[in-house]
Amino acid sequence: MRFRHKSLIVLLLAALATTALANVEPLHAQHGIVVSIHELASKAGVEVMQAGGNAVDAAVATGFALAVVHSPAGNIGGGGFMLVRMADGKTHFIDYREKAPAAATREMFLDAQGNVIEGASEIGYKSIGVPGSVAGMVYAEQRYGKLTLKQVMAPAIRLAREGYALSWGEVQDLHDKHLSEFAESRRIFQRGGNYYRPGEIFRQPELARTLERIAAKPDDFYHGAMAREIAAAMKKGGGLITAEDLAQYEVKEREPVRGTYRGFEVISAPPPSSGGTVLIESLNIVEGYDLAKLGDRSAESIHFTTEAFRRAFFDRAEFMGDPDFAKIPVAQLIDKKYAEAWRETIHSENATASKDLKRPAIFSELEEYAAAHPQPVENHEAPHTTHYSVVDAEGNAAAVTTTINDWFGSRVTVDGLGFLMNDEMDDFSSKPGVPNLDGLIQGEANAIGPGKRPLSSMTPTIVVHGDKTLLVLGSPGSSKIITTVANVLMGVVDYGMNIQEAVDAPRFHNQWLPDVLNVEQWFSPDTVKRLQTMGYKVEFGLHDDESVVPYWSDAECIAIDAKTGERLGASDYRNSGKAVGY
Ligand code: GLY
């Protein structure tokens, strides 16, 4: 279900407003649990755990299943990040973000006058980055899973071949007007114009065959016949991706970023995601305030948290990009001393105007970098991603966020192979210095370059207490991903909520520019009035031209009860996801 269906939104808001405080218990499971945007995908993960698989097997099974039952964002034609924390404390961060093809150029989305060509980086063949999802999931399975690829892909293959009943919301989504622009997408997802109706079974035989081929010979996607088929389809459509680009794709294992927050360890996504760094920088700043005492979603606690977000996003814009192409000063940004210096710039009662922010000059690395680079630019980041969380019976955990960027990605379905390709090229800054749709600003570090990975906000996160996993967190939502994860984490740690309450609680968001404090529809007008007197420009919901989205993101999270060991699954009540456990 997506919040673009306005009539439904009105009904839902009425319903949610009255039920917001009811039914706030997470799902309790004794052994293993998966929480995702789709019940069938969560079930796929549980099925493989019950067959002897661990959390990584379940994560891979869920990922492939989402590529079948959640075509708008689940994928094999995109990329993602998987954060794994095994029960013995070992962590693995697997980066399978898309890469720009070798023929990509810095100016590829600019016209002859040097202006950004609207939509060019979002729809169609040129918007596609070299997909990493298949490589990443195969890598995870082969390195850290217990079962075979065939076993973990079996549920996805079955779902693609036998089909599943479409919900009302899924049917509405399939009416996407840009899908109709591509013959293969129109044929598969819109039945050539004879649109699917709610309850009809959606079968994807081409995708089933593709998944079977991957399960039998995973390397084929990058080095074999399938790579050649993908490259031929890209060439025919005017895209840049070649068989050589696919052959060059590589998964990267990276060190996750680590911080602490009020005695808990926070482990999260490193560059090329900005997520973990911005999350930990924000948390470091708010750690200096007694949020619990100020009160959950009181004007004061929102004020200090917003000022922290503002500063961390200011730094995001300047410094974040692909670490294989630029040195990203993560250590300085997540240093507690830096947070302390930032706190000194925060007024106790007034908002700081974003344009007046000045970075504290305590680290020469940050000063020198900022002086050497032009002002960052705003960039669009699509909010259409998906996150799922897994914990198995042994206590191994996986947090996975994956994306094809926009809803249905580039809208291009690869001829004969039945899967959609991403439009991740849009996550680069097309032109440093120019504002974009989502109002996000990004700097030189994220300019387009061949072989480069575009900057992401995906924030798969694991919170540890002592030596035990406590929380597995994540969400879609572009820049809102980071503030959503922060809101959920603070809900548990600062405000004593259970994980379901923390996931459901109203969210607020600031990303430096535009200088707006976005609050979901459920905020009290009194609180908003008080924030306005502090100098905030408050907007209910997210504003995009004339449309207003009243709420955002989709946190799919797990907590582990420290006393009982129970796995507590919380699927976001804003959407139609499901926690499934045993
Ligand atoms: N495309 C959304 C993200 O990577 O954050």
Side-chain angles (χ1 to χ4, degrees), residues 240-576:
L240 303 183
I241 295 173
T242 62
E244 185 57 21
D245 285 320
L246 289 161
Q248 292 294 321
Y249 186 84
E250 50 180 357
V251 172
K252 298 246 170 169
E253 260 211 54
R254 301 186 189 274
E255 254 316 295
V257 282
R258 291 168 196 271
T260 58
Y261 184 60
R262 304 196 199 279
F264 297 90
E265 186 185 12
V266 180
I267 308 170
S268 193
S273 180
S274 60
T277 308
V278 174
L279 174 71
I280 292 170
E281 183 177 344
S282 302
L283 293 173
N284 283 345
I285 298 172
V286 292
E287 201 173 34
Y289 304 101
D290 191 346
L291 295 187
K293 195 162 159 212
L294 293 172
D296 174 23
R297 281 141 185 87
S298 66
E300 280 77 10
S301 68
I302 295 170
H303 163 59
F304 290 120
T305 310
T306 302
E307 292 307 319
F309 289 158
R310 188 195 307 280
R311 284 155 178 79
F313 271 92
F314 175 64
D315 283 334
R316 177 195 192 278
E318 183 76 56
F319 299 112
M320 290 286 151
D322 185 344
D324 297 336
F325 286 72
K327 193 174 168 345
I328 316 290
V330 174
Q332 289 78 17
L333 294 171
I334 63 169
D335 192 307
K336 299 267 187 202
K337 287 200 292 291
Y338 185 54
E340 198 181 312
W342 262 137
R343 271 197 303 274
E344 280 165 23
T345 71
I346 298 177
H347 192 278
S348 61
E349 282 177 14
N350 294 326
T352 311
S354 285
K355 64 176 175 33
D356 296 338
L357 268 193
K358 286 206 175 49
R359 184 172 293 108
I362 70 161
F363 287 125
S364 56
E365 293 90 340
L366 302 188
E367 295 299 291
E368 282 157 20
Y369 183 99
H373 292 82
Q375 271 294 307
V377 297
E378 298 193 33
N379 196 28
H380 168 54
E381 245 192 280
H384 308 138
T385 295
T386 192
H387 175 87
Y388 56 97
S389 298
V390 184
V391 173
D392 69 18
E394 276 74 49
N396 305 309
V400 187
T401 314
T402 182
T403 189
I404 44 175
N405 197 35
D406 266 299
W407 213 230
F408 299 106
S410 60
R411 300 349 189 251
V412 170
T413 300
V414 184
D415 287 336
L417 297 179
F419 69 90
L420 283 156
M421 280 289 215
N422 68 83
D423 64 325
E424 219 66 55
M425 291 301 288
D426 185 56
D427 270 354
F428 285 112
S429 34
S430 291
K431 185 183 180 188
V434 174
N436 81 12
L437 286 175
D438 210 31
L440 255 188
I441 296 202
Q442 310 190 26
E444 275 300 300
N446 193 35
I448 302 174
K452 214 169 160 185
R453 293 172 197 236
L455 183 60
S456 170
S457 294
M458 296 191 285
T459 315
T461 299
I462 292 179
V463 178
V464 178
H465 191 214
D467 62 353
K468 295 238 176 346
T469 293
L470 174 74
L471 302 172
V472 186
L473 307 176
S475 174
S478 71
S479 52
K480 272 77 64 187
I481 293 175
I482 307 171
T483 52
T484 294
V485 171
N487 270 276
V488 175
L489 196 156
M490 290 188 287
V492 174
V493 172
D494 290 293
Y495 304 122
M497 297 174 181
N498 74 36
I499 188 69
Q500 188 70 59
E501 291 166 334
V503 161
D504 293 348
R507 296 168 185 148
F508 55 95
H509 173 80
N510 173 275
Q511 58 182 42
W512 173 48
L513 289 177
D515 192 348
V516 170
L517 170 59
N518 300 96
V519 300
E520 288 188 321
Q521 289 291 302
W522 305 289
F523 275 81
S524 143
D526 295 351
T527 310
V528 168
K529 213 174 266 169
R530 170 102 175 82
L531 286 162
Q532 285 164 333
T533 64
M534 294 167 124
Y536 287 97
K537 180 170 181 244
V538 184
E539 282 181 356
F540 277 102
L542 298 173
H543 295 235
D544 182 8
D545 296 329
E546 267 116 73
S547 69
V548 180
V549 178
Y551 55 90
W552 57 82
S553 296
D554 179 59
E556 300 290 336
C557 304
I558 297 171
I560 301 180
D561 187 308
K563 287 203 196 86
T564 64
E566 277 187 314
R567 286 79 171 104
L568 310 172
S571 182
D572 201 320
Y573 83 152
R574 293 163 182 79
N575 296 292
S576 54

Side-chain angles (χ1 to χ4, degrees), residues 36-53:
S36 82
I37 183 72
H38 204 293
E39 182 173 11
L40 293 171
S42 300
K43 279 183 168 165
V46 167
E47 181 184 321
V48 303
M49 283 195 278
Q50 288 180 312

Side-chain angles (χ1 to χ4, degrees), residues 110-153:
L110 303 183
D111 64 17
Q113 285 69 47
N115 299 317
V116 177
I117 307 165
E118 210 182 311
S121 63
E122 292 170 70
I123 312 282
Y125 287 82
K126 291 224 164 50
S127 68
I128 304 171
V130 183
S133 288
V134 171
M137 289 195 283
V138 170
Y139 177 98
E141 181 55 42
Q142 292 175 342
R143 289 277 190 309
Y144 306 115
K146 283 164 65 180
L147 305 178
T148 64
L149 194 59
K150 275 195 179 139
Q151 282 173 297
V152 299
M153 290 183 69

